[in-house]
Amino acid sequence: QVQLVESGGGLVQPGGSLRLSCAASRRIFSFFTMGWYRQAPGKQRELVATITTGGSTNYADSVKGRFTISRDNAKNTVYLQMNSLKPEDTAVYYCNSAPALGSWGQGTQVTVSA
């Protein structure tokens, strides 16, 4: 089994930036497409960004041009750089494979508010 731990969330003003990290307990990112998901209160979990084993990325329309997913295989870490944050980005952010094969962790809370 692989444990994924999200970190880097917090409270940020609209227009601000955060970088989220997803650390894996062992090497996995050379073998799976990874994704960042988010879930806002009362809403279904949403896939917002993916990165393939070859480095190809894809984004939900709602975050395109503002978020960047990347990975560092040597560190077993996937990142989500979030710029120009909006209140509607407020959610708990999770990482997992895409499609999700592992269990869900605690996620990291991102709150965008003035």
Side-chain angles (χ1 to χ4, degrees), residues 10 14 20 26 49 56 59 83-84 98 103:
L20 307 184
R26 60 181 176 88
S56 180
Y59 301 92
N83 299 325
S84 302
S103 59

Side-chain angles (χ1 to χ4, degrees), residues 28-89:
I28 59 166
F29 302 136
S30 295
F31 310 119
F32 299 98
T33 296
M34 297 300 299
W36 281 97
Y37 302 75
R38 68 185 182 188
Q39 187 168 27
K43 298 186 67 178
Q44 189 174 340
R45 201 190 322 266
E46 172 192 22
L47 180 63
V48 299
T50 61
I51 184 166
T52 69
T53 57
S56 180
T57 59
N58 193 260
Y59 301 92
D61 288 342
S62 58
V63 308
K64 195 170 298 180
R66 301 186 297 118
F67 290 11
T68 303
I69 187 172
S70 62
R71 68 182 178 214
D72 186 336
N73 289 352
K75 295 182 178 180
N76 292 328
T77 302
V78 176
Y79 304 96
L80 186 67
Q81 179 66 47
M82 305 186 296
N83 299 325
S84 302
L85 283 162
K86 304 174 180 179
E88 50 263 45
D89 296 318

